[in-house]
């Protein structure tokens, strides 16, 4: 089936009609489960890469929004002991998602951010994507889109609830990003990320980081020249 289907899908990738490519992206993402993880990685992933490079935002979004079942499928196969067949492809997808953190369209950046908790649930993807994510955290925490800055904190809180992600992970990868927001003198909105992060992540961080590092900076902002 894959030998007959994939070449046809490859031809459709070059359709000049945007709606056709969007529909193709949605269909493509639904094929992962019936084809299985190994075939999905070897045959569908190259097509995903092409669609994620599409110049049309809706095409890229169709792929990103359909990635959760693919991530869970490939992750379950790898976690079950078939990691050798998919490890390279997992790393490739992790790199693609990382590049989308700086996409020119805020909807693409936001959709990519929302995948982080799903990636964290799989040992296969967690190893490459979440370890790579801290490099993107600074990007999301300082994004010009307020929704992305806010949801970055929310995603970190959700990841903190995933087994294997303790307060030590937050202290190592998230806390430094929050602390640097205090120095964002050019933007009160980005300084506010520190306050939002402190409030949302308090149950997960532990007492010492809150009292010794975040609280003093938060109190100093009480006299910020911006009332909000």
């Amino acid at each position: 089936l894959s030998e007959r289907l994939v070449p046809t899908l490859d031809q459709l990738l070059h359709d000049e009609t945007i709606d056709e490519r969007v529909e193709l992206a949605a269909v493509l993402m639904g094929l992962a489960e019936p084809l299985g993880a190994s075939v999905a990685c070897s045959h569908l992933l190259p097509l995903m890469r092409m669609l994620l490079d599409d110049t049309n935002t809706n095409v890229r979004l169709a792929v990103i929004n359909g990635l959760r079942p693919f991530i869970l499928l490939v992750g379950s196969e790898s976690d079950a002991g078939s990691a050798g067949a998919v490890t390279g492809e997992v790393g490739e997808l992790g790199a693609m998602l990382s590049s989308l953190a700086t996409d020119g369209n805020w909807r693409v950046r936001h959709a990519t951010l929302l995948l982080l908790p799903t990636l964290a649930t799989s040992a296969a993807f967690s190893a490459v994507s979440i370890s790579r994510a801290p490099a993107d955290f600074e990007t999301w925490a300082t994004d010009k889109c307020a929704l992305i800055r806010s949801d970055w904190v929310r995603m970190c809180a959700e990841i903190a609830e995933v087994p294997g992600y303790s307060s030590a992970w937050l202290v190592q990868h998230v806390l430094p990003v929050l602390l640097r927001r205090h120095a964002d003198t050019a933007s009160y909105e980005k300084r506010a990320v520190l306050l939002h992060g402190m409030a949302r992540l308090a149950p997960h961080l532990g007492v010492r980081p809150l009292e010794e590092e975040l609280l003093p900076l938060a109190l100093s902002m009480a006299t910020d020249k911006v009332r909000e």
Side-chain angles (χ1 to χ4, degrees):
L1 174 62
S2 62
E3 292 178 356
R4 300 175 61 183
L5 179 62
V6 173
T8 302
L9 294 174
D10 188 39
Q11 292 177 2
L12 294 174
L13 284 174
H14 301 92
D15 194 299
E16 295 183 359
T17 307
I18 292 174
D19 289 344
E20 293 294 332
R21 298 203 305 277
V22 171
E23 185 173 353
L24 170 63
V27 171
L28 182 69
M29 301 313 296
L31 288 174
E33 186 170 357
L35 290 177
S38 181
V39 174
C41 282
S42 60
H43 290 79
L44 298 186
L45 194 57
L47 303 182
M48 291 182 203
R49 187 192 313 115
M50 294 179 65
L51 289 168
L52 287 173
D53 286 336
D54 199 284
T55 56
N56 183 267
T57 298
N58 290 331
V59 175
R60 301 198 301 280
L61 280 172
V63 177
I64 297 168
N65 291 334
L67 272 174
R68 283 181 178 81
F70 178 86
I71 292 169
L72 295 175
L73 172 70
V74 174
S76 66
E77 287 282 328
S78 180
D79 295 344
S82 305
V86 300
T87 299
E89 288 81 0
V90 165
E92 182 180 352
L93 180 58
M96 286 191 288
L97 292 176
S98 182
S99 69
L100 292 173
T102 56
D103 190 273
N105 187 281
W106 75 268
R107 292 189 297 156
V108 171
R109 300 195 304 275
H110 185 246
T112 305
L113 167 65
L114 297 183
L115 285 173
L116 285 182
T118 302
L119 292 166
T121 62
S122 164
F125 281 96
S126 174
V128 293
S129 297
I130 301 302
S131 64
R132 186 193 304 270
D136 301 322
F137 282 177
E138 194 83 27
T139 301
W140 282 313
T142 60
D143 198 281
K144 60 184 178 182
C145 174
L147 179 61
I148 291 176
R149 297 194 303 271
S150 174
D151 277 352
W152 169 71
V153 172
R154 183 167 65 88
M155 292 302 101
C156 288
E158 290 190 18
I159 292 173
E161 296 176 355
V162 174
Y165 290 87
S166 63
S167 60
W169 178 82
L170 286 173
V171 169
Q172 180 180 358
H173 297 299
V174 178
L175 180 61
V177 180
L178 293 178
L179 296 176
R180 284 193 290 272
R181 300 290 65 78
H182 183 262
D184 274 322
T185 56
S187 173
Y188 80 89
E189 294 171 320
K190 294 176 183 178
R191 293 199 299 278
V193 172
L194 184 153
L195 301 176
H196 180 47
M198 179 179 173
R200 190 67 186 257
L201 298 173
H204 308 288
L205 274 171
V207 174
R208 190 201 61 78
L210 285 171
E211 290 188 349
E212 297 182 10
E213 300 188 66
L214 285 173
L215 186 58
L217 295 181
L219 291 175
S220 72
M221 295 171 69
T223 58
D224 195 284
K225 62 181 179 181
V226 179
R227 291 181 300 175
E228 287 79 1

